[in-house]
Amino acid sequence: MYDSTHENVVTKIQSPDEKAVVLTFDDGPSRLLPRFLDVLKQENVPAVFFWQTRLLHPQRPWQRVLDEGHIIGSHTVKHRNLVELPKEEQYKDIKNSITAIEQITGSPVRFFRPPYGRFNAETLQVTEQLSLTPVMWKIASMDWELKNDPQRLIANVTENLENGAVILLHELPQTLEALPGLIAAIKERGYGFKLL
């Protein structure tokens, strides 16, 4: 397994002119997606959504995601740990995921995030074959562990801010609750928001 400093994996963006970070949301599209989009629209913040395609029903508001300037990337079909799969299975899973997203949205998929942040050399070979850019993160909000502590989620991010950082969030109720405060706290520290 590689860590997030591997040269072929994005954890930061280049943002020389201004301080900016990238918000990313994993494990959707969830039923909460419209409410996440409402907050992002109100705050004028773009984001990248990494979706499990088992959840991508045509009635999910994917068109709104694209219309409002966000990006949809792949997070595999069912969130399986790729390092436990042979290369052929990894290829099949990732390929099926991007095919499903592209068939529903009509837009090409360019970005991929491995479930659990776990990948190996074969994963990188597959993403190269499929012309995908693997995206990890520089800052983990730990939102999946903080059901009762949205303020800790905000602190986990703001205490570790750095220019260009990719921030890991999930489409969870506690993340939605914390999102307005998180965006405000990031802006207060002089950061804007960009896409990959």
Side-chain angles (χ1 to χ4, degrees):
M1 180 178 145
Y2 294 96
D3 66 23
S4 60
T5 59
H6 191 274
E7 63 185 30
N8 295 330
V9 178
V10 173
T11 59
K12 290 178 70 175
I13 58 163
Q14 297 299 317
S15 186
D17 301 331
E18 58 178 310
K19 290 197 316 187
V21 294
V22 180
L23 292 187
T24 65
F25 295 90
D26 284 9
D27 293 346
S30 73
R31 289 184 180 90
L32 295 173
L33 178 60
R35 293 171 63 194
F36 275 96
L37 293 172
D38 289 344
V39 173
L40 294 170
K41 184 174 185 178
Q42 182 175 343
E43 299 294 335
N44 195 28
V45 171
V48 183
F49 292 87
F50 290 99
W51 284 352
Q52 299 177 46
T53 50
R54 70 183 177 88
L55 302 172
L56 181 52
H57 313 299
Q59 63 268 33
R60 294 279 195 244
W62 57 265
Q63 187 67 56
R64 181 177 170 196
V65 173
L66 298 177
D67 288 348
E68 294 180 4
H70 308 295
I71 292 174
I72 300 171
S74 167
H75 199 43
T76 71
V77 175
K78 295 182 181 176
H79 208 271
R80 295 164 72 194
N81 187 341
L82 295 175
V83 300
E84 297 175 355
L85 303 177
K87 181 179 177 183
E88 298 75 27
E89 281 292 306
Q90 291 192 46
Y91 182 92
K92 183 177 172 186
D93 193 316
I94 297 168
K95 174 68 173 164
N96 286 346
S97 174
I98 62 173
T99 298
I101 294 170
E102 290 176 349
Q103 283 178 343
I104 288 176
T105 68
S107 295
V109 174
R110 301 184 340 243
F111 299 103
F112 170 75
R113 176 168 284 157
Y116 312 105
R118 301 290 308 275
F119 63 95
N120 56 24
E122 291 181 333
T123 315
L124 296 179
Q125 291 166 10
V126 168
T127 56
E128 189 173 340
Q129 282 178 275
L130 295 172
S131 301
L132 295 170
T133 300
V135 179
M136 294 289 283
W137 56 87
K138 194 72 178 173
I139 302 171
S141 67
M142 305 302 288
D143 55 354
W144 62 94
E145 293 182 355
L146 297 170
K147 288 182 181 159
N148 302 312
D149 196 356
Q151 290 307 310
R152 183 69 244 164
L153 184 165
I154 293 171
N156 285 348
V157 174
T158 56
E159 291 170 5
N160 296 289
L161 282 174
E162 62 180 89
N163 190 30
V166 175
I167 300 169
L168 172 64
L169 301 159
H170 295 78
E171 288 187 39
L172 296 168
Q174 61 267 29
T175 311
L176 179 62
E177 181 182 342
L179 188 57
L182 175 62
I183 291 171
I186 292 171
K187 287 180 177 177
E188 281 168 16
R189 285 159 177 79
Y191 288 86
F193 298 87
K194 286 192 168 183
L195 292 172
L196 296 167

